[in-house]
């Protein structure tokens, strides 16, 4: 040390000590800020979950049970995730107005904040699919691939143009025009009604976004060939030909014959 003082040089140990002190100070400040933000987020989530539980007990427990384990009238909700709640409640399908073959879309009974609270509460009951982020939903940049995937996985029920179609026992696949992209994604990952579940191994999140991009394209681009007859394909087109086209030909024939007579 005496030699360092005489030469005016700093000891190597001093540099190491300053570096350690700087790292400790930075780490401590980061940990303090992170823990504060985490605590704040946890408190907000807990408050929403409590509000959601109250809404659940008042509006849902009569069918799904107080503990959400299901009854003879409604399924178990443990593990369905926030996505299932956002889809079912956010589209007005739940709570159901009356029992039937399947829950149908109707005016939403809750505010967006209440729907979110219900979703947060059900998510605390068990792990399940979460609500997709806006960034993910907007990431669909391959409409052609989305159209191909839709034709392979969805068109047999929803029609290639997303016009919907009838199923068995009074059930149906709904039309997909002007549906919220988040609800389309949530339907794919939760499999409501008769719809199968398309997990990330079946269709990746990016490809789900591509399917949504295809549906958005259909919304923005009406049929270029003229009147699409509801977009129901050869059934409606053939019916139109048999009833109106052939009927018109028969009518003209009868008119010409009667005029000649």
């Amino acid at each position: 040390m005496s030699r360092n003082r005489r030469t005016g040089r700093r000891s190597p140990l001093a540099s190491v000590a300053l570096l350690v002190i700087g790292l400790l100070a930075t780490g401590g400040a980061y940990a303090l800020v992170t823990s504060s933000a985490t605590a704040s987020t946890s408190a907000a989530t807990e408050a929403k979950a409590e509000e959601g539980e109250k809404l659940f007990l008042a509006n849902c427990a009569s069918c799904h049970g107080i503990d959400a384990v299901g009854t003879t009238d409604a399924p178990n909700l443990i593990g369905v995730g926030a996505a299932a709640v956002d889809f079912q409640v956010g589209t007005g399908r739940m709570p159901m107005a009356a029992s039937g073959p399947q829950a149908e879309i109707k005016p939403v009974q809750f505010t967006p904040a209440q729907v979110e609270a219900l979703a947060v509460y059900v998510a605390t009951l068990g792990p399940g699919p979460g609500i997709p982020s806006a960034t993910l939903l907007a990431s669909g940049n391959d409409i052609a691939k989305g159209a191909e995937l839709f034709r392979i996985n969805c068109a047999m029920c929803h029609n290639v143009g997303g016009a919907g179609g009838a199923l068995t026992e009074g059930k149906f696949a709904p039309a997909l025009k002007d549906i919220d992209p988040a609800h389309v994604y949530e339907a794919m990952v939760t499999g409501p009604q008769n719809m199968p579940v398309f997990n990330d191994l079946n269709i990746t999140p990016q490809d789900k976004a591509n399917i949504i991009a295809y549906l958005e394209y259909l919304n923005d681009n009406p049929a270029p060939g003229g009147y699409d007859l509801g977009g129901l394909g050869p059934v409606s087109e053939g019916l139109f030909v048999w009833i109106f086209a052939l009927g018109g030909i028969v009518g003209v024939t009868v008119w010409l014959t009667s005029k000649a007579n």
Side-chain angles (χ1 to χ4, degrees):
M1 293 294 291
S2 299
R3 186 171 65 249
N4 288 339
R5 290 194 185 95
R6 288 195 301 270
T7 60
R9 296 179 179 177
R10 179 183 299 172
S11 171
L13 295 177
S15 299
V16 173
L18 288 174
L19 180 61
V20 171
I21 292 172
L23 290 173
L24 290 175
T26 303
Y30 176 79
L32 180 62
V33 172
T34 303
S35 61
S36 300
T38 303
S40 176
T41 302
S42 300
T45 302
E46 186 176 346
K48 281 187 178 179
E50 291 178 357
E51 180 187 356
E53 183 177 11
K54 294 177 182 177
L55 290 168
F56 180 86
L57 293 175
N59 300 277
C60 315
S62 57
C63 292
H64 292 282
I66 295 178
D67 298 324
V69 295
T71 64
T72 55
D73 298 320
N76 186 344
L77 296 182
I78 296 177
V80 300
V85 177
D86 189 63
F87 174 81
Q88 297 285 1
V89 181
T91 60
R93 288 178 167 87
M94 292 291 163
M96 291 181 69
S99 59
Q102 71 181 57
E104 299 186 28
I105 295 177
K106 63 180 186 300
V108 181
Q109 304 297 306
F110 300 96
T111 66
Q114 290 174 325
V115 174
E116 181 183 5
L118 279 168
V120 170
Y121 168 66
V122 172
T124 64
L125 302 178
I131 298 173
S133 66
T135 303
L136 172 61
L137 297 175
S139 66
N141 51 19
D142 194 337
I143 296 175
K145 187 173 183 181
E148 179 184 3
L149 290 169
F150 185 86
R151 289 193 297 269
I152 294 172
N153 297 281
C154 317
M156 66 285 294
C157 293
H158 290 282
N159 179 276
V160 70
L167 301 176
T168 59
E169 300 179 353
K171 301 174 183 178
F172 62 93
L176 299 179
K177 183 175 177 59
D178 298 327
I179 302 296
D180 189 319
H183 294 155
V184 176
Y185 191 99
E186 290 161 354
M188 285 190 274
V189 297
T190 61
Q193 312 294 345
N194 296 281
M195 185 170 172
V197 174
F198 295 100
N199 60 36
D200 291 347
L201 296 178
N202 300 128
I203 301 177
T204 66
Q206 180 61 56
D207 282 339
K208 290 184 178 74
N210 289 332
I211 291 175
I212 291 172
Y214 167 65
L215 294 175
E216 292 290 297
Y217 174 83
L218 292 181
N219 289 336
D220 299 334
N221 297 272
Y227 188 56
D228 61 5
L229 300 176
L232 298 177
V235 174
S236 61
E237 294 165 3
L239 187 64
F240 178 85
V241 170
W242 278 100
I243 293 178
F244 294 98
L246 292 181
I249 292 174
V250 172
V252 170
T253 304
V254 171
W255 178 75
L256 290 174
T257 304
S258 63
K259 185 177 180 181
N261 291 334

